[in-house]
C-alpha cells in the first residue's frame, strides 16, 4: 500500500461516524478495505470488532495490533488542509484513534500475507469497539479469544493510541468511576435542611480530600490519584428533588481502591435526610510495561531508521487509560502503545493529524514488525 492509498484509507475511515455502540458501519467498511488490501482473512467478530489477519492460522507466533474504531461524540468536519506548512487531516477520530488503527492496517498491507507465512507469524489487526465507553467490550472479547485456551497468547501486542510518530507509550493509569444519586422530599429553600445537590458537592469534597492526602509527597502525575468531576445535575418535580453526579478517578500503579470505597460507603450510610445510592464502575488497574523489552527496542530502532534529525525516539507513560489496561494483565506479553498524532488533541474540536506524520508511523510499524518477527521469541 502506497502513501496515497494509505491516506485514502484513513480519510474514508474518519468520514464514517462511529460513536461507542454504533460502530457496525465503520467495522464493515474497514473489513472490506482490508480484504481489498490483501489480508488473508477479514471479518466482523462477535463483539462487532473489525478484524483483519495476515499469515497462517497455525503460525507459531501471534502479534496483535489492537486499535479502536469508536470515537467520542462531536462533529469535526472532515477535510485536508495545509497547516504550518503541512497537509493535515481534520476529523473526529483522526487522532483518537482511527489514525493509529489505519496505520496498523496500512502497515500490515505493506507487509503482506506471503511475508507473514514465511516468517511463521500471524498478525491480527483489530479495530475494537467501545473503547471510549467504560465497557471496553471489544478489547475484552479479544483478550478472552487469545487467552491460551481458545487460541495461543500473543508474543507481542501494540495498542493503537496517539503517541506522536517518534515515541512509544509503555504505561497507562487505571480508572474508577463513582456515580451518585441523591433524593429527598422537597423542603422550603429558606429552611435548614440540606438539598440533594449538597450531597453531590459533599461527595466531591470527600473524594478530592482523599486524593490530596494520598498524593502528599508524590510529585509525578503518573504516581498521583487524579480526580475529575465529570457531571453534576439537579432537578425537581415539585415534590421530590434529585441530584446525580459522576466522578472519575485516574489511578496510579500502587493504588488499592478499597480504602476509598470504604470512606465513600461510610459517608453514604449517614445520608442526612437524603436517600443516597453510590455505584462503582469502569474499574481498570494501572499498567506499566517493561521499557527494555524487544518490542520497545525494535520500535525505537525503527523510529531512528527514518533518519529524521528532529525525531526524539523515546518512551512515555500516560495519565489516561486505554485497552492496554484490559489485555496486558491477561496476556502478559511485551506490549506498548503507538500511533501518529498529538494526544492533547483527543476529543477536541481541533482534532487533526499531519499526513506526513501518519505516513512515517506506517513505515515505523512496518519496519518494527519486520525486525521483531525475525528474532527468536
Amino acid at each position: 500500500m502506497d502513501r496515497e492509498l494509505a491516506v485514502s484509507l484513513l480519510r474514508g475511515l474518519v468520514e464514517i461516524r462511529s460513536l461507542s455502540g454504533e460502530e457496525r458501519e465503520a467495522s464493515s467498511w474497514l473489513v472490506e478495505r482490508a480484504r481489498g488490501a490483501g489480508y488473508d482473512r477479514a471479518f466482523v467478530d462477535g463483539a462487532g470488532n473489525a478484524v483483519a489477519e495476515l499469515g497462517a492460522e497455525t503460525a507459531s507466533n501471534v502479534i496483535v495490533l489492537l486499535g479502536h474504531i469508536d470515537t467520542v461524540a462531536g462533529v469535526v468536519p472532515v477535510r485536508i488542509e495545509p497547516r504550518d506548512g503541512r497537509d493535515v487531516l481534520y476529523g473526529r477520530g483522526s487522532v483518537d484513534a482511527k489514525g493509529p488503527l489505519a496505520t496498523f492496517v496500512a502497515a500490515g498491507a505493506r507487509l503482506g500475507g506471503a511475508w507473514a507465512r514465511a516468517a511463521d507469524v500471524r498478525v491480527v489487526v483489530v479495530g475494537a469497539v467501545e473503547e471510549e465507553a467504560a465497557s471496553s467490550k471489544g478489547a475484552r472479547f479479544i483478550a478472552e479469544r487469545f487467552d491460551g485456551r481458545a487460541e495461543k497468547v500473543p508474543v507481542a501486542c501494540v495498542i493503537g493510541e496517539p503517541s506522536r510518530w517518534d515515541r512509544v507509550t509503555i504505561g497507562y493509569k487505571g480508572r474508577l468511576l463513582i456515580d451518585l444519586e441523591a433524593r429527598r422530599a422537597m423542603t422550603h429553600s429558606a429552611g435548614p435542611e440540606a438539598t440533594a445537590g449538597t450531597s453531590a458537592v459533599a461527595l466531591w469534597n470527600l473524594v478530592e480530600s482523599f486524593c490530596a492526602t494520598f498524593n502528599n509527597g508524590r510529585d509525578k502525575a503518573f504516581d498521583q490519584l487524579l480526580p475529575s468531576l465529570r457531571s453534576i445535575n439537579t432537578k425537581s418535580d415539585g415534590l421530590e428533588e434529585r441530584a446525580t453526579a459522576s466522578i472519575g478517578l485516574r489511578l496510579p500503579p500502587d493504588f488499592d481502591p478499597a480504602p476509598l470505597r470504604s470512606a465513600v460507603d461510610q459517608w453514604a450510610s449517614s445520608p442526612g435526610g437524603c436517600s443516597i445510592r453510590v455505584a462503582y464502575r469502569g474499574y481498570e488497574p494501572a499498567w506499566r510495561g517493561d521499557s527494555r523489552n524487544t518490542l520497545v527496542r525494535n520500535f525505537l530502532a525503527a523510529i531512528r531508521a527514518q533518519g529524521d534529525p528532529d525525531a526524539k525516539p523515546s518512551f512515555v507513560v500516560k495519565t489516561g487509560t486505554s485497552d492496554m489496561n484490559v489485555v496486558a494483565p491477561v496476556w502478559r506479553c511485551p506490549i506498548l502503545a503507538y500511533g501518529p498524532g498529538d494526544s492533547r488533541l483527543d476529543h477536541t474540536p481541533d482534532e487533526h493529524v499531519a499526513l506526513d506524520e501518519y505516513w512515517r508511523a506506517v513505515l515505523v510499524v512496518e519496519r518494527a514488525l519486520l525486525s521483531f518477527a525475525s528474532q527468536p521469541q
Side-chain angles (χ1 to χ4, degrees), residues 60-72:
S60 298
N61 297 313
V62 175
I63 300 173
V64 175
L65 309 181
L66 176 59
H68 69 88
I69 201 164
D70 63 317
T71 72
V72 297

Side-chain angles (χ1 to χ4, degrees), residues 306-354:
Q306 300 308 307
D308 187 333
D310 296 325
K312 298 178 180 178
S314 58
F315 56 85
V316 297
V317 292
K318 296 286 187 70
T319 56
T321 306
S322 79
D323 281 339
M324 181 185 291
N325 301 72
V326 174
V327 300
V330 178
W331 295 340
R332 296 192 174 273
C333 64
I335 191 168
L336 59 82
Y338 180 77
D342 184 343
S343 60
R344 292 174 296 183
L345 298 174
D346 292 2
H347 305 184
T348 69
D350 193 37
E351 187 172 3
H352 66 273
V353 64

Side-chain angles (χ1 to χ4, degrees), residues 1-3 6-7 9-10 99-111 165 299 302 306 338-340 355-369:
M1 180 176 287
D2 62 16
R3 174 172 171 147
V7 170
L9 172 73
L10 173 59
L101 176 57
T103 296
F104 290 168
V105 175
R110 289 176 60 80
L111 290 166
W165 79 273
F299 264 83
Q306 300 308 307
Y338 180 77
L355 296 182
D356 283 345
E357 179 178 359
Y358 165 61
W359 180 242
R360 280 201 182 103
V362 172
L363 300 180
V364 167
V365 173
E366 177 189 14
R367 189 180 187 100
L369 293 184

Side-chain angles (χ1 to χ4, degrees), residues 243-289:
T244 59
S246 179
I247 296 172
L249 290 148
R250 297 297 182 176
L251 317 178
D254 61 344
F255 180 70
D256 177 4
L260 173 61
R261 291 188 58 161
S262 177
V264 171
D265 291 344
Q266 183 176 356
W267 167 83
S269 68
S270 302
C274 283
S275 170
I276 291 179
R277 183 180 66 85
V278 174
Y280 306 90
R281 61 186 175 90
Y283 173 60
E284 300 291 351
W287 184 269
R288 179 168 184 155

Side-chain angles (χ1 to χ4, degrees), residues 40-41 43 53-62 116-117 120-124 145-146 150-152:
D40 294 312
R41 296 168 298 281
F43 54 91
E53 300 186 356
L54 295 170
E57 293 182 273
T58 56
S60 298
N61 297 313
V62 175
R117 286 184 289 276
D120 194 23
V121 67
R122 178 181 175 196
V123 177
V124 181
R145 176 184 167 189
F146 294 99
E151 298 191 49
K152 63 182 63 177

